[in-house]
Amino acid sequence: MRLLLVEDDDRVAAAVSALLGKHGFDVRHARSGEEAIQALLPDGGPAFDCVLLDLGLPDQDGFEVCSRIRRRTATPVIMVTARADVRSRIHGLNLGADDYIVKPYDTGELLARIHAVSRRAPLNPAGLVAPEPLLGDGPPAAAQAAVPAAQRTCLLLGRIAIELTTRRVTVDGESIVLTRKEFDLLALLAGRPGVVFRREQIISEVWRTAWEGTGRTLEVHVASLRSKLRTPAMIETVRGVGYRLVVPSAG
């Protein structure tokens, strides 16, 4: 597995590279945001399977680097930082990061998260990860027209409409932008309104892992979804169990 490590501290980078190397990773080190962007440009070699992105970079903010990476490629990005506040996590996920891990972290957790986000669609023939459109923008008009109306599954939940085939979500007719995991989480809950999904079940179905450290990531995604859907009470926390989607009452 090929991994791009974006870290300005050479000592930290050396330690992380050595650790990952022992587990079979081919690590390339970038010391700045610009160097990371250049490393992700097509060069005829194999594409990266994952990017470990430190937010404290010397030339530009790590959040901006994440945004630039996401505009160019769908390669999974894990933000690595000492910023533990929920707002920073939500901001990073909104920019397109696939996961977020806070320093200091357990090496086992880091490895588990890398493997979890790397379970993605196969590379295209050119060796590049095919970029996905921002959810909420939907596919090109021609692609939408090619999908028979009878095959378009749409869930209507009060003010919210979820188009499963186009991965498009609207609130009061206005498209909203969701990350890949946010959409998957919403679709899972919306598929069975009122049913309580256990945290372990959600993590298994959305993140394809049983790693318990993903629980915090789930909480961040739920908080982000509540904000974007403009109906916080729609996703209800069932204390000690998990979450369920509550359909708003008419009127």
Side-chain angles (χ1 to χ4, degrees):
M1 182 180 293
R2 194 163 184 242
L3 182 144
L4 177 62
L5 173 63
V6 189
E7 168 64 63
D8 66 318
D9 189 319
D10 286 341
R11 289 177 298 179
V12 172
V16 174
S17 296
L19 168 70
L20 295 176
K22 291 180 180 178
H23 288 82
F25 289 88
D26 176 13
V27 181
R28 176 170 173 178
H29 177 207
R31 295 174 176 79
S32 68
E34 193 58 41
E35 189 176 341
I37 297 299
Q38 292 301 314
L40 288 166
L41 293 176
D43 60 2
F48 289 101
D49 298 288
C50 182
V51 177
L52 281 184
L53 174 63
D54 187 83
L55 294 185
L57 299 174
D59 59 335
Q60 53 191 294
D61 184 75
F63 288 124
E64 172 60 24
V65 176
C66 178
S67 180
R68 292 180 64 190
I69 289 174
R70 188 50 70 233
R71 290 197 295 267
R72 288 165 171 76
T73 175
T75 303
V77 176
I78 299 178
M79 287 186 168
V80 183
T81 179
R83 307 178 194 180
D85 60 291
V86 174
R87 292 185 65 180
S88 291
R89 296 186 188 203
I90 292 176
H91 183 48
L93 293 170
N94 285 344
L95 290 175
D98 294 84
D99 206 346
Y100 198 114
I101 188 168
V102 178
K103 301 176 182 178
Y105 49 77
D106 178 78
T107 55
E109 178 183 3
L110 175 63
L111 292 169
R113 289 182 182 274
I114 292 172
H115 285 296
V117 302
S118 298
R119 298 188 187 102
R120 298 281 300 277
L123 300 177
N124 65 25
L128 302 175
V129 178
E132 296 184 12
L134 284 175
L135 305 179
D137 287 347
Q144 294 188 54
V147 181
Q151 295 181 13
R152 295 183 183 179
T153 304
C154 183
L155 302 177
L156 299 177
L157 305 166
R159 303 159 50 223
I160 300 169
I162 307 169
E163 297 178 17
L164 300 178
T165 54
T166 61
R167 297 178 69 87
R168 179 182 175 90
V169 177
T170 59
V171 177
D172 292 331
E174 178 186 346
S175 295
I176 62 172
V177 178
L178 299 183
T179 67
R180 183 180 301 104
K181 294 301 184 186
E182 286 171 350
F183 181 90
D184 292 343
L185 172 58
L186 176 60
L188 175 66
L189 298 177
R192 301 176 67 187
V195 174
V196 178
F197 286 82
R198 293 177 292 104
R199 292 168 59 88
E200 297 84 358
Q201 181 182 1
I202 296 173
I203 291 170
S204 175
E205 295 196 26
V206 176
W207 277 269
R208 306 291 182 183
T209 181
W211 175 247
E212 60 183 15
T214 309
R216 186 57 178 163
T217 300
L218 170 59
E219 294 174 6
V220 173
H221 278 73
V222 168
S224 180
L225 261 181
R226 285 170 171 162
S227 173
K228 291 182 177 182
L229 296 177
R230 308 168 198 164
T231 312
M234 189 173 188
I235 300 179
E236 182 179 281
T237 300
V238 181
R239 189 176 298 276
V241 182
Y243 299 93
R244 68 179 170 189
L245 188 141
V246 180
V247 179
S249 57

